[in-house]
Amino acid sequence: MAFDVLAFAAAAVLSAPQVSPASPPPRPAPLFAAPPAFAPALPPPLDVWMLDIGQGSCVYVDCPDRRTALLIDCGSKGARPAVSIPAVVDWVRDRLAVDETVTVIVSHGDEDHYSLLHNLDASRVDRVRLGGLRADYRGPSGKLAQIDGWLQAVEASGGDVAVWAPNAFSAADPELSCGGVSVDVLVASYLQSAPTTAVDSRKNADSAVIRVRHGGVSVVMAGDAEGSTQQAALRNAEAAGLVLSGDTVLMGSHHGARTAGSNNPPWVDAWRPTVGAFSASVAVRFGHPQCEVVARFAATARPIAERYPVSCGVGARQEVRYVSSAIVNTFDNGTVLFRLSGENGLTILCEILTPGCDAALQPFEAP
């Protein structure tokens, strides 16, 4: 019996599958999977804030390095009760307090483009560039005395204050550094000391026209530029070989007026804006933006499936026009943020959401 058991065991060993010494045993599965490969971090976007200041203009440009900022105009001639101008001033003041390099651009010498600057800490400003004449910002009293005193305070703190030369132009202006973003001065101080009878307003005609470019998207800000100023900007751009095509946010000059050729068809056609934007309060006596100008911008702006009303003026009378393209204005949308990034191109975030916006700003983001 014992022999039979041993014989059976030997047979079992001989019949078992043999493992070749050259074949290692299978490796156990890892306890933890390897982490996925991450795409390189995208650079921060360029944020262009069109602040709701009522009848005026105040644009804050937060550069991608998050250490540099441009403030392009900041003034108002009044706002509806829902708009808190002091809250906007506090918002700008808080932003400038943490930026290392701050440049202020005043497009021209009308108070609704500079009247709030004297509330800001002059010692935080590195340079100021002015459209028009230095005399446009001097006066014995009122708003002129305030802006003159503030400019002198900037200089006393070591800041550089200068007026642009007549018909100034600079592509990718090296002075206007914005964290690697190109800033073009398409024209500034076009007429400067020309007789006021030649145009509706010499100050308006002297407006600086500024373009910022990032990730294939442009934002164009034209102060109160009139038709002659806009033509000069286009001539300068053409002579320098600048490309005007691509996604463009075109802010209506003179708050969307049609006075003295502002926002004329050749100007709008040259840019073919993806988005039309207006900083104005149609409830104030000027009726800005004018409905005719809104319709002109809407004809080329990004199509939207839904038709929606946009507030505008016919003369001084407030009306609405229904559009089916990307139009935003501070009267309807409050503060608007144009976010330019390499990933999504252009995103429009609005304090008050309408179909022209991509998303709503969070309550803590707006002034």
Side-chain angles (χ1 to χ4, degrees), residues 134-313:
R134 183 63 178 86
D136 296 339
Y137 307 90
R138 289 195 176 110
S141 60
K143 297 292 192 297
L144 284 173
Q146 290 173 337
I147 185 62
D148 188 20
W150 184 79
L151 292 171
Q152 291 183 46
V154 171
E155 291 178 310
S157 300
D160 176 25
V161 177
V163 176
W164 270 300
N167 196 23
F169 168 80
S170 179
D173 193 312
E175 280 194 334
L176 305 181
S177 172
C178 187
V181 169
S182 293
V183 181
D184 303 323
V185 181
L186 299 179
V187 72
S189 303
Y190 172 57
L191 293 180
Q192 216 169 69
S193 59
T196 56
T197 54
V199 290
D200 183 68
S201 165
R202 194 268 308 160
K203 288 183 181 180
N204 288 351
D206 274 344
S207 288
V209 179
I210 306 295
R211 175 173 71 161
V212 295
R213 294 178 283 156
H214 183 58
V217 182
S218 298
V219 180
V220 179
M221 296 149 282
D224 283 355
E226 298 184 346
S228 58
T229 318
Q230 292 167 348
Q231 291 168 8
L234 294 178
R235 285 196 302 270
N236 290 341
E238 182 180 9
L242 295 184
V243 177
L244 305 186
S245 60
D247 287 342
T248 300
V249 176
L250 183 60
M251 294 189 185
S253 68
H254 204 170
H255 318 284
R258 53 193 180 89
T259 310
S262 294
N263 305 296
N264 58 73
W267 171 252
V268 178
D269 290 344
W271 292 104
R272 299 195 61 79
T274 312
V275 180
F278 302 95
S279 178
S281 178
V282 70
V284 177
R285 65 185 185 274
F286 305 106
H288 295 157
Q290 287 287 291
C291 294
E292 176 184 328
V293 174
V294 168
R296 188 172 297 149
F297 278 56
T300 70
R302 182 177 64 196
I304 292 173
E306 182 178 349
R307 292 186 77 240
Y308 63 101
V310 173
S311 299
C312 55

Side-chain angles (χ1 to χ4, degrees), residues 30-104:
L31 295 177
F32 302 100
F38 290 100
L42 291 169
L46 171 72
D47 285 346
V48 180
W49 294 83
M50 185 172 71
L51 300 168
D52 184 7
I53 205 71
Q55 182 61 29
S57 181
C58 191
V59 176
Y60 180 87
V61 180
D62 195 6
C63 303
D65 61 3
R66 295 301 186 256
R67 297 190 304 271
T68 310
L70 306 176
L71 181 62
I72 302 175
D73 290 339
C74 204
S76 177
K77 286 185 177 176
R80 63 190 188 281
V83 176
S84 172
I85 291 178
V88 175
V89 172
D90 288 343
W91 187 95
V92 174
R93 186 189 292 121
D94 291 345
R95 291 293 183 111
L96 296 184
V98 299
D99 287 310
E100 295 178 13
T101 305
V102 176
T103 297
V104 174

